Amino acid sequence: DLVCPEEENDGEGLVDALAAAQGWQRCPRCRARTERSEGCNLMTCYSPQCQGNTEYCYICAAIPVENGHFPNGSYEPCVNSQRVAGETQAESAPEIVPPDGEAVPCKCCVVS
């Protein structure tokens, strides 16, 4: 039987390629993919594993994020942004589109 190579692929490779092309980040604890479409760079992961107990930097995936990590505020680049290759996240800024897990903007970005 001839099988199309695309049919053999479970899609994970395609999702990985899309995530890399779009600059999506993964939660450093549970590895859920997240895309920040707006907001600051301080993320809270609400995946089934993290349940809102993981905060991380969207730019460099530092966990835990400590005071001084965002010297000019969480909407600006972090202290590690110079070493992060292909840095593009700091250019955009607050709602999360979670392809995998569920991450939301931090409390400072939520508009009541």
Side-chain angles (χ1 to χ4, degrees), residues 81-99:
S81 63
Q82 294 295 325
R83 70 169 183 79
V84 177
E87 216 285 77
T88 58
Q89 289 85 5
E91 296 172 7
S92 62
E95 180 175 301
I96 306 307
V97 179

Side-chain angles (χ1 to χ4, degrees), residues 2-78:
L2 292 176
V3 178
C4 177
E6 291 180 13
E7 290 178 15
E8 289 180 5
N9 187 341
D10 64 352
E12 190 64 27
L14 297 173
V15 173
D16 287 341
L18 177 63
Q22 297 297 315
W24 295 346
Q25 183 62 275
R26 286 186 179 264
C27 170
R29 180 159 290 144
C30 72
R31 307 299 297 153
R33 285 187 189 92
T34 56
E35 174 188 18
R36 190 198 71 192
S37 61
E38 56 183 27
C40 72
N41 294 305
L42 179 61
M43 305 298 290
T44 302
C45 183
Y46 284 93
S47 70
Q49 292 151 321
C50 291
Q51 299 179 3
N53 294 313
T54 303
E55 286 189 340
Y56 65 97
C57 174
Y58 191 77
I59 296 170
C60 70
I63 180 175
V65 177
E66 298 180 9
N67 288 338
H69 189 77
F70 299 107
N72 298 311
S74 59
Y75 283 91
E76 300 298 324
C78 72

